[in-house]
Amino acid sequence: MTEQIKSYLKENRDTHLKELTDWLAVPSVSALPEHKEDVRKGAQWIADELSKIGMNNIEIYETDGHPVVYADWLKAEGKPTVLVYGHYDVQPVDPLELWETPPYEATIRDNKLYARGASDDKGQTFMHLKVLQAILETEGTLPLNFKFCIEGEEEIGSPSLPKFIENNKELLEADVIVISDTGMLDRGKPAICYGLRGMCAMQVDVTGPNSDLHSGLYGGAVQNPLHAITELLQSFRDDNGRILIDGFYDNVQELTEKEREAFRALPLTEEALKQQLGVTELTGEEGYSHIERTWARPTLEHNGIWGGFQGEGIKTVIPAEAHAKISCRLVPNQEPDEIIEKVKAHIEKHKPVGIDVKVTLFDKGAPYVTPFDHPAIQAAARSYEKVYGVPTAFTRGGGSIPIVATFDQMLNIPVVLMGFGLSTENFHAPNEHFHLENFDKGMETLADYWFELEKSIKKEPSAL
């Protein structure tokens, strides 16, 4: 990155923040039908901005759901191509009363930008646009070719994007994908996430008698659905945190010793986590550290359980039904569909007598991992370190971004998760915010990265 680019970013900072504020004012909530037109406005805003900064071939593609915005700049002859992915949709703002300032009126306090989407993911996506604009304005050209794929359904699981990718593989063909929708290790401590867990989620409905029953008249003679569902849930794990579903661990890819050493070197202690969460002990699968359990081991969690009388006081009934929601986080080589079938088989094998069980499936997504010694990832690490002045950590994410695995499987190119958010920034919660320190340093890092990446990778022959 040249000094001219760095100066351009500093001189135009106020303008950039004003532009971002305009985008954050659009309530592009993909989950709520009443915001359908607002989501479309969000797509149009980013399309207009891509045109403004000098991108070409801009198009808003219709899908079965919300639109996908595409743009490109392909004038760096013979150079590799980067596909930048982001999303312009945001989470609902409820509960509104917990926001200190209106969620769609961006406000700066203590060098933090408060608004829905500030960190996840409008702010981080916007940074990519401004960096390319800065390079074009100062250099007149870009060191690489660029394509953009910015969708409007990430916050509802990207249901339309896999089909879009499948139908547009040639359009999206690139040498590397860069996504800024993850976080840093801590303030001033950059990190590159090289792996994500997959997931599958489902609801278990247990039904027994044809109506609620008087517990005095029928208790002891009829199966209680609440007893049955708690018995089922208890059957999933042993006392040491190991999941007891037949074949659950069959395909799990174990951590390498190099990865375990890297995790141990990170400044993430059990004591610090206990203090942060306000708990006295951590639990989990025996034989693994808390980092390994949350980043690289599969889980099965009970997310909710309900049934019977919920009001004040007591109502002595045997309920007619009971329900639970469960989710599994999956690691490389575990296939969501296979795990779902294993869970269903376990339920059928262990269900108590006198009840019926129905399983309803929800979200699912494959896990993803890229070797962290890949040249594109190492180039990102060097750029982070150059700007932040400290070594870059290599982490895995315990959560899931299903579309990352979809990109990996369909386009067969490396994905660099190069985020600038912090875990404390309340994304998905009231008072979401983005540290402007990372808005500034993040753009410097990205500006440096494109030149670093140009030196580090070569254009690959098409595999499509």
Side-chain angles (χ1 to χ4, degrees), residues 175-204:
D175 298 283
V176 64
I177 301 171
V178 176
I179 300 175
S180 296
D181 194 17
T182 52
M184 307 199 336
L185 194 63
D186 201 349
R187 187 172 181 180
K189 297 178 181 178
I192 294 174
C193 179
Y194 68 93
L196 296 164
R197 291 194 290 189
M199 74 168 298
C200 57
M202 61 203 81
Q203 180 170 313
V204 180

Side-chain angles (χ1 to χ4, degrees), residues 13-14 17-18 21 24 101 105-115 433-436 439:
R13 183 180 192 263
D14 290 344
L17 288 174
K18 172 60 171 64
T21 296
L24 293 171
T101 50
E105 296 178 17
T107 305
I108 295 176
R109 302 194 302 273
D110 301 322
N111 204 33
K112 302 170 190 173
L113 181 67
Y114 285 81
H433 56 278
F434 190 30
H435 284 68
L436 293 181
F439 179 78

Side-chain angles (χ1 to χ4, degrees), residues 299-339:
T299 65
L300 185 149
E301 299 289 350
H302 307 154
N303 308 125
I305 179 170
W306 69 99
F309 180 63
Q310 304 290 314
E312 187 175 349
I314 187 72
K315 183 180 181 183
T316 54
V317 296
I318 297 172
E321 58 188 47
H323 313 271
K325 293 183 187 291
I326 64 175
S327 62
C328 299
R329 297 291 176 171
L330 310 177
V331 298
N333 293 346
Q334 286 186 303
E335 293 292 336
D337 289 336
E338 290 183 10
I339 295 300

Side-chain angles (χ1 to χ4, degrees), residues 192-195 253 256 258-259 368-378 394 396 408 414-416:
I192 294 174
C193 179
Y194 68 93
Q253 183 183 102
T256 66
K258 183 178 180 181
E259 287 177 301
Y368 168 79
V369 68
T370 287
F372 60 74
D373 57 359
H374 190 282
I377 289 179
Q378 289 299 314
F394 296 97
R396 289 201 194 186
D408 176 50
V415 182
V416 180

Side-chain angles (χ1 to χ4, degrees), residues 148-440:
F148 282 88
C149 176
I150 304 176
E151 66 151 325
E153 294 186 334
E154 194 276 342
E155 298 293 5
I156 55 173
S158 303
S160 303
L161 196 57
K163 181 179 178 181
F164 175 80
I165 297 171
E166 181 67 33
N167 292 339
N168 293 279
K169 286 184 178 180
E170 186 174 348
L171 180 73
L172 301 175
E173 182 182 354
D175 298 283
V176 64
I177 301 171
V178 176
I179 300 175
S180 296
D181 194 17
T182 52
M184 307 199 336
L185 194 63
D186 201 349
R187 187 172 181 180
K189 297 178 181 178
I192 294 174
C193 179
Y194 68 93
L196 296 164
R197 291 194 290 189
M199 74 168 298
C200 57
M202 61 203 81
Q203 180 170 313
V204 180
D205 300 303
V206 169
T207 55
N210 56 17
S211 68
D212 288 359
L213 301 176
H214 189 294
S215 67
L217 297 178
Y218 296 98
V222 177
Q223 178 64 269
N224 185 323
L226 280 172
H227 296 173
I229 202 163
T230 53
E231 185 178 330
L232 261 180
L233 296 178
Q234 185 64 25
S235 74
F236 285 127
R237 301 194 306 175
D238 68 16
D239 292 339
N240 295 318
R242 187 166 180 83
I243 296 163
L244 299 175
I245 296 169
D246 290 342
F248 187 84
Y249 293 99
D250 282 356
N251 298 319
V252 168
Q253 183 183 102
E254 296 290 339
L255 282 164
T256 66
E257 187 54 36
K258 183 178 180 181
E259 287 177 301
R260 300 190 82 173
E261 288 177 5
F263 290 174
R264 286 192 289 268
L266 296 173
L268 301 174
T269 66
E270 290 197 5
E271 280 304 315
L273 184 59
K274 287 191 287 187
Q275 290 183 16
Q276 175 190 337
L277 302 179
V279 298
T280 57
E281 295 294 338
L282 299 179
T283 64
E285 187 181 1
E286 195 171 39
Y288 296 92
S289 71
H290 70 290
I291 297 176
E292 292 166 349
R293 292 171 187 162
T294 53
W295 288 358
R297 295 298 295 171
T299 65
L300 185 149
E301 299 289 350
H302 307 154
N303 308 125
I305 179 170
W306 69 99
F309 180 63
Q310 304 290 314
E312 187 175 349
I314 187 72
K315 183 180 181 183
T316 54
V317 296
I318 297 172
E321 58 188 47
H323 313 271
K325 293 183 187 291
I326 64 175
S327 62
C328 299
R329 297 291 176 171
L330 310 177
V331 298
N333 293 346
Q334 286 186 303
E335 293 292 336
D337 289 336
E338 290 183 10
I339 295 300
I340 288 167
E341 292 306 312
K342 293 179 190 299
V343 172
K344 290 166 70 175
H346 179 94
I347 290 172
E348 187 62 30
K349 179 179 178 180
H350 291 85
K351 72 177 183 180
V353 298
I355 52 116
D356 291 316
V357 180
K358 175 185 176 184
V359 177
T360 303
L361 305 180
F362 293 116
D363 294 349
K364 65 178 181 179
Y368 168 79
V369 68
T370 287
F372 60 74
D373 57 359
H374 190 282
I377 289 179
Q378 289 299 314
R382 292 191 294 273
S383 293
Y384 269 125
E385 183 169 349
K386 193 179 301 183
V387 174
Y388 282 86
V390 296
T392 304
F394 296 97
T395 68
R396 289 201 194 186
S400 307
I401 307 177
I403 200 59
V404 172
T406 303
F407 274 125
D408 176 50
Q409 293 164 356
M410 290 187 174
L411 300 183
N412 193 31
I413 53 178
V415 182
V416 180
L417 297 170
M418 196 172 179
F420 300 94
L422 296 176
S423 62
T424 57
E425 289 179 334
N426 287 19
F427 37 84
H428 293 208
N431 301 308
E432 178 181 350
H433 56 278
F434 190 30
H435 284 68
L436 293 181
E437 171 187 354
N438 292 327
F439 179 78
D440 298 330

